[in-house]
Amino acid sequence: MGSSGKIQGRDGLCFFGKVSATISHDIKNVLAIINEDAGLLQDLSLMATQGMELEPERLVKLAEKIQNQIKRGDVIIKNMNRFAHSVDVSECEVNLFETVALVIALFTRISASKCVTVLLKEGEQVTTKCDPFSAEMLIAKCLEISMDSSGKDSEITVEILKENSEKVIAISGLKQAIEQEKFQAVEALSKEVNASVKMKQQDNVLEIIF
Amino acid sequence: MKILLVDDELELVSALSERLSFRGFETEWVTSGEEAIEKVSAGKFDMAILDVKMPRISGLELRNKLEKICPSLKFIFLSGHGSEDDYNEGSCGADCYLIKPVKIENLVERINIALGL
C-alpha cells in the first residue's frame, strides 16, 4: 500500500481518524436500530404466543425497516471502503464530482451537527491527476470552514466546473469571513495537493482550483 | 414513573419506546433537544434517556438544560461510541452511560436502579 507522502503524517492520520470515528458512529446507529426492530419483533412474537393479536402488516413493516437499515449500512460501508482505498496510490486520475460526493456523504453527520445542508449541484464529470487522499482531505477541510462560515440552519452548494484549463470546486453560501488562520491552513494543504484555494469575497464563494 | 426518550434516530427511539412500554414503563419520545425541552417544560418526567451526539443540542448540553427545568430528573445516556471525554463528562452527571446497541434487559435494570424501583 502506498501513502500520499505529500501531506504531513499526523494531519493525515487525524483526518483519517475523524472520518473513521464518524463512520463507526453511523454504523453503531444502524446496528442499534436493527437491534431495536428485531427486539420489537421478538416482543410482539412473544406477546402473540400469550394470546395478543399480531397483525401481519406490522411484521411486514418491521421487516422492511430492518432491510432499509441494512441498505443504509451497506452504503456507509461502501463509502468507508472507497475512502480507505484512497490511500492506495499517491497519484491517479481522480473524478472530482465523485470525490466531492464521497466527502459530502462521509461528512453527513458532521454537517448535521453543524446544522448545515450541503448540496452538490449536478455537473459534468471533471477529472484531474492528483493524490486522492490529499484531495479528499482538502475538500473536507474546505467544506468544514465553509459550514462554519455559513452558520447554523443554512445551506451551502458545491459545484464542479471546468474553467479553461482549470478544474474548480466552488463552494457557495458562505456568510461570515473565514478566520485567517483557518484559511491559511487550507491554503498550505492545497499547495501540497498541487492545487490552490481562493476566496471570492464579493460572491461569498470559496474555490478549490486544480 | 414517566420516561422521555431523546434520539435523532426516529426509528430507534420509537421502537425503544414501544419496547419499554411493553415492560410497564410510561414513555414518550422526541427526536431533538428542542422538543425534549418543550416536553419537560410542559409535563412531569422522572427520567430522560438521551443520545449523546445529536445535531443542534448535544445530549450533554441537553442534560444541563433539562436539569434546570426539572432538577429531580434522572438521566441515562446512550451513545454510539463516544470519546473518553464524552464518557467521563456523561457518566459523572448521569445515572448510567450505555453503549449502543443496548440489551433491553440491561437498560431496564439501569432504569429500575436509577428510579429506585
Side-chain angles (χ1 to χ4, degrees):
Chain A
M1 188 175 79
S3 66
S4 89
K6 287 178 184 170
I7 54 165
Q8 286 184 7
R10 180 78 192 161
D11 284 348
L13 266 180
C14 286
F15 174 63
F16 207 90
K18 184 175 187 170
V19 174
S20 302
T22 305
I23 291 167
S24 71
H25 201 96
D26 287 341
I27 293 172
K28 276 278 195 177
N29 267 335
V30 169
L31 291 176
I33 294 169
I34 293 172
N35 183 56
E36 292 316 323
D37 283 340
L40 197 49
L41 270 177
Q42 212 171 23
D43 288 350
L44 293 172
S45 307
L46 199 66
M47 286 155 78
T49 63
Q50 291 164 358
M52 191 194 82
E53 198 182 330
L54 186 53
E55 293 168 6
E57 298 81 34
R58 187 81 210 273
L59 297 181
V60 172
K61 271 188 186 163
L62 272 171
E64 277 173 3
K65 280 183 177 178
I66 292 172
Q67 283 168 335
N68 286 337
Q69 287 302 321
I70 289 168
K71 275 185 208 159
R72 177 185 169 193
D74 188 46
V75 170
I76 294 167
I77 290 169
K78 273 181 186 156
N79 284 340
M80 178 180 115
N81 187 271
R82 263 194 71 199
F83 176 66
H85 280 296
S86 64
V87 294
D88 286 356
V89 289
S90 57
E91 195 175 66
C92 66
E93 203 65 40
V94 169
N95 182 314
L96 290 180
F97 187 86
E98 285 174 8
T99 305
V100 170
L102 175 66
V103 174
I104 291 173
L106 293 171
F107 271 63
T108 304
R109 176 161 288 276
I110 290 164
S111 55
S113 73
K114 292 178 187 284
C115 304
V116 178
T117 306
V118 184
L119 296 173
L120 176 58
K121 269 194 179 177
E122 283 295 326
E124 51 185 320
Q125 302 293 311
V126 178
T127 64
T128 190
K129 207 166 192 179
C130 64
D131 169 11
F133 178 73
S134 303
E136 285 164 3
M137 188 165 155
L138 174 63
I139 294 163
K141 299 247 179 220
C142 287
L143 276 180
E144 267 197 291
I145 60 171
S146 301
M147 285 187 238
D148 291 338
S149 160
S150 69
K152 273 191 173 183
D153 300 316
S154 61
E155 195 175 277
I156 57 172
T157 306
V158 189
E159 191 172 12
I160 291 102
L161 313 153
K162 227 183 206 173
E163 287 174 354
N164 303 318
S165 63
E166 290 179 342
K167 287 116 185 201
V168 180
I169 299 170
I171 308 169
S172 54
L174 286 75
K175 286 179 189 144
Q176 308 278 328
I178 293 171
E179 285 172 38
Q180 205 181 352
E181 202 178 309
K182 286 181 179 175
F183 187 78
Q184 281 169 347
V186 288
E187 204 171 30
L189 181 59
S190 71
K191 282 176 188 154
E192 292 169 17
V193 190
N194 293 327
S196 62
V197 285
K198 188 165 82 182
M199 185 65 213
K200 289 168 89 175
Q201 297 287 1
Q202 69 279 15
D203 305 319
N204 294 321
V205 174
L206 176 64
E207 285 187 346
I208 309 169
I209 304 152
F210 287 89
Chain B
M1 293 293 175
K2 205 167 166 188
I3 300 172
L4 179 65
L5 293 130
V6 192
D7 196 304
D8 62 315
E9 294 281 357
L10 186 146
E11 262 187 58
L12 173 69
V13 80
S14 58
L16 192 54
S17 170
E18 195 171 0
R19 296 188 76 201
L20 286 174
S21 73
F22 292 157
R23 286 158 178 81
F25 296 102
E26 193 185 343
T27 59
E28 287 193 36
W29 58 267
V30 290
T31 55
S32 72
E34 289 88 347
E35 289 172 285
I37 291 166
E38 274 177 36
K39 283 272 181 198
V40 172
S41 303
K44 172 88 176 79
F45 286 90
D46 301 286
M47 167 170 276
I49 300 177
L50 311 178
D51 180 29
V52 176
K53 293 213 188 299
M54 287 187 291
R56 309 184 74 86
I57 306 175
S58 75
L60 300 175
E61 205 184 331
L62 182 60
R63 179 194 62 200
N64 297 334
K65 289 181 189 286
L66 296 181
E67 249 173 358
K68 281 183 188 153
I69 304 166
C70 179
S72 64
L73 200 62
K74 307 277 185 195
F75 293 96
I76 286 180
F77 280 112
L78 298 185
S79 174
H81 266 301
S83 64
E84 200 176 333
D85 287 347
D86 285 341
Y87 177 78
N88 291 335
E89 204 181 329
S91 58
C92 76
D95 292 282
C96 150
Y97 187 102
L98 294 171
I99 301 292
K100 294 176 190 173
V102 179
K103 263 186 103 173
I104 193 87
E105 295 81 9
N106 291 347
L107 180 61
V108 168
E109 189 189 342
R110 295 298 185 160
I111 294 171
N112 286 335
I113 293 169
L115 294 177
L117 299 174

